[in-house]
Amino acid sequence: AQKVTQAQTEISVVEKEDVTLDCVYETRDTTYYLFWYKQPPSGELVFLIRRNSFDEQNEISGRYSWNFQKSTSSFNFTITASQVVDSAVYFCALSELGTNAGKSTFGDGTTLTVKP
Amino acid sequence: DGGITQSPKYLFRKEGQNVTLSCEQNLNHDAMYWYRQDPGQGLRLIYYSQIVNDFQKGDIAEGYSVSREKKESFPLTVTSAQKNPTAFYLCASSISGGGAYYNEQFFGPGTRLTVL
């Protein structure tokens, strides 16, 4: 069964600090995708990034970067020089090719608060 | 503008009443999903549909029903059998039903249901 764990329930930082959001997943499938979504106070989730199980390259997009390590089943998300607008709930999600195709399993989310 | 609309934004219901939440998308996506989000928790899948006239139960389908008569519409009915329906409900879609495991999901703004 697939499972996603985001152990950090809430994180609070001061603007310009770097922050890393952890995501650990469990799956028996060899083909899967991992996702990060952002949920601002408005409530609508916004897609941030997708990574497939065969691509362990790290990715950087502006102040955002992602570190995927299959050896530790982790897909961590780092925000560099955080800003107040980064305040949101962030979800990590897992989607498998196998019998669960079409379904994503979400973690419980990490609430990030960036203070000015 | 393409996207997903959910209505109403806020919904109040008396105990024992059925209520239907609307979800419409004009993205021409095959797959659609309904999630429930409770405070401090992640998204739990209620129902999903990979193609018109077909849908499958998610992890918490009891007390809910859906239909998928049109590609663009996926209404969710919360029945009186749902013991604790007060929650935030999110509808989502993705491009491909069969290949949905690798496609990101697009989310609507959500409906907050309160049972009085």
Side-chain angles (χ1 to χ4, degrees):
Chain A
Q2 52 185 2
K3 183 178 178 182
V4 176
T5 301
Q6 295 179 255
Q8 305 151 307
T9 304
E10 296 182 11
I11 299 176
S12 181
V13 299
V14 177
E15 209 169 18
K16 297 184 183 175
E17 283 186 29
D18 298 348
V19 57
T20 296
L21 310 181
D22 297 332
C23 173
V24 174
Y25 62 93
E26 294 177 28
T27 178
R28 285 180 283 191
D29 218 322
T30 56
T31 303
Y32 54 88
Y33 270 77
L34 293 161
F35 304 82
W36 275 96
Y37 292 87
K38 174 182 180 180
Q39 185 180 38
S42 62
E44 185 172 336
L45 273 77
V46 175
F47 164 74
L48 295 177
I49 191 172
R50 165 183 54 230
R51 175 65 77 227
N52 76 57
S53 52
F54 301 107
D55 180 6
E56 287 193 71
Q57 276 194 332
N58 292 333
E59 180 154 342
I60 298 175
S61 176
R63 296 184 298 106
Y64 295 172
S65 62
W66 291 269
N67 180 262
F68 175 33
Q69 291 193 336
K70 285 179 75 171
S71 60
T72 55
S73 296
S74 65
F75 186 42
N76 296 337
F77 172 30
T78 297
I79 301 175
T80 303
S82 59
Q83 300 176 0
V84 173
V85 293
D86 296 327
S87 296
V89 183
Y90 291 87
F91 290 97
C92 180
L94 166 69
S95 186
E96 297 171 331
L97 169 62
T99 56
N100 291 316
K103 294 172 58 175
S104 286
T105 296
F106 286 77
D108 285 344
T110 296
T111 300
L112 173 65
T113 302
V114 181
K115 299 178 181 176
Chain B
D1 269 326
I4 300 178
T5 57
Q6 290 186 243
S7 61
K9 188 174 177 121
Y10 298 95
L11 187 58
F12 298 89
R13 185 196 100 176
K14 292 182 180 179
E15 273 194 60
Q17 286 182 337
N18 292 356
V19 63
T20 297
L21 282 58
S22 168
C23 177
E24 303 278 332
Q25 55 102 354
N26 61 4
L27 300 167
N28 200 32
H29 286 176
D30 288 317
M32 296 187 74
Y33 310 83
W34 273 107
Y35 294 93
R36 170 180 171 141
Q37 185 178 20
D38 293 285
Q41 295 189 31
L43 279 65
R44 292 185 290 168
L45 183 64
I46 304 172
Y47 269 97
Y48 65 107
S49 167
Q50 296 184 339
I51 197 168
V52 176
N53 293 322
D54 186 51
F55 50 82
Q56 287 81 39
K57 292 181 180 180
D59 302 317
I60 55 165
E62 185 175 350
Y64 300 97
S65 66
V66 294
S67 63
R68 186 85 188 278
E69 297 175 1
K70 297 186 295 183
K71 187 175 185 178
E72 60 269 23
S73 180
F74 191 41
L76 173 74
T77 296
V78 184
T79 74
S80 56
Q82 169 50 232
K83 300 300 180 192
N84 185 20
T86 294
F88 187 54
Y89 291 87
L90 284 158
C91 179
S93 70
S94 66
I95 291 176
S96 168
Y101 84 99
Y102 56 78
N103 288 312
E104 70 270 26
Q105 295 182 19
F106 293 75
F107 285 81
T111 292
R112 194 166 299 279
L113 173 64
T114 302
V115 174
L116 303 172

